[in-house]
Amino acid sequence: MNNPVIQSLRKRRTQYSLGRDVKQSPAEIEALVKEAIRLSPSSFNSQSSRAVILFGAQSERFWELVRESLRPLVPAEAFGATEQKLASFAAGVGTVLFYEDQDVVKGLQEQFALYADNFPVWSEQSSGIAQMAVWTALSEAGIGASLQHYNPVVDEAAQREWDLPASWKLRAQMPFGSNEAPFGEKTFIDDAERFRVVA
């Protein structure tokens, strides 16, 4: 299938081996991330997604905060593997922290009480769409990335470090950089288990 959107989705893959050999400047990557999130749809056009874009030492600092937050929780004998994994994320050019603004969610719950229970769910969907949009845009630019979830372990530390609003809820982290290893083969479950077509 030669559809350009499908081609872009095929290209987007998880990359754990990150480096700093990217063609784009931090300003160009910042603009790419912002535009991808700006163009991502959200229920009621809530635009509840927020992002912190960290480069260089600031990105390294985030993964240091994750390491220190995990240290009391991970058995000492297993911590070496954890440190190695976190170091691979810090080895990239930067990290996008994805947030959802809970003040926006609460405001919509109050304004549209009939749908109150749904707005937290729709917020999560908005965040997922924003994450996919950024990941695909980075991939199209030749930049590798992966999606991580060290929330809520690191939430308070990150909020303090970058003086973030209390209403921002961390949902995911995306370390990014140059692709330093080939991608493995991607497998798919059988279509019969996943789809029903009714005509």
Side-chain angles (χ1 to χ4, degrees), residues 16-194:
Y16 292 119
S17 297
L18 299 173
R20 298 184 179 174
D21 185 23
V22 298
K23 297 180 295 184
Q24 299 83 355
S25 68
E28 289 172 323
I29 296 173
E30 174 191 334
L32 184 69
V33 171
K34 286 180 176 178
E35 190 69 357
I37 293 174
R38 191 180 291 117
L39 294 173
S40 297
S42 57
S43 65
F44 287 67
N45 195 30
S46 64
Q47 301 178 58
S48 55
S49 294
R50 306 286 183 264
V52 176
I53 308 167
L54 305 171
F55 289 98
Q58 295 296 310
S59 177
E60 291 176 30
R61 176 61 179 152
F62 174 76
W63 294 107
E64 182 182 319
L65 292 174
V66 174
R67 185 179 68 241
E68 295 313 308
S69 298
L70 287 175
R71 193 179 294 279
L73 306 175
V74 177
E77 62 274 13
F79 199 71
T82 297
E83 276 191 306
Q84 190 174 1
K85 187 175 185 182
L86 298 176
S88 74
F89 303 145
V93 171
T95 303
V96 181
L97 308 182
F98 292 91
Y99 287 84
E100 282 291 305
D101 192 337
Q102 300 307 296
D103 281 352
V104 173
V105 176
K106 290 172 186 172
L108 287 166
Q109 287 177 308
E110 292 168 2
Q111 188 177 355
F112 302 100
L114 184 63
Y115 305 110
D117 290 345
N118 290 321
F119 283 113
V121 177
W122 292 338
S123 168
E124 294 297 308
Q125 293 170 351
S126 296
S127 184
I129 292 169
Q131 293 160 33
M132 183 65 173
V134 170
W135 200 349
T136 305
L138 290 172
S139 174
E140 275 296 307
I143 299 171
S146 69
L147 192 64
Q148 305 301 318
H149 299 91
Y150 287 95
N151 43 291
V153 175
V154 74
D155 292 23
E156 290 184 16
Q159 186 180 33
R160 285 194 305 269
E161 184 74 16
W162 291 288
D163 193 25
L164 303 176
S167 63
W168 287 22
K169 184 177 183 181
L170 184 60
R171 306 316 299 138
Q173 307 86 49
M174 186 176 290
F176 60 87
S178 55
N179 291 294
E180 298 298 321
F183 297 108
E185 184 181 352
K186 188 174 177 69
T187 60
F188 300 92
I189 64 172
D190 190 271
D191 282 1
E193 296 178 42
R194 198 167 195 177

Side-chain angles (χ1 to χ4, degrees), residues 5-20:
V5 175
I6 297 299
Q7 294 299 329
S8 293
L9 293 174
R10 282 198 181 120
K11 191 184 298 183
R12 183 222 52 81
R13 302 290 298 282
T14 293
Q15 178 60 269
Y16 292 119
S17 297
L18 299 173
R20 298 184 179 174

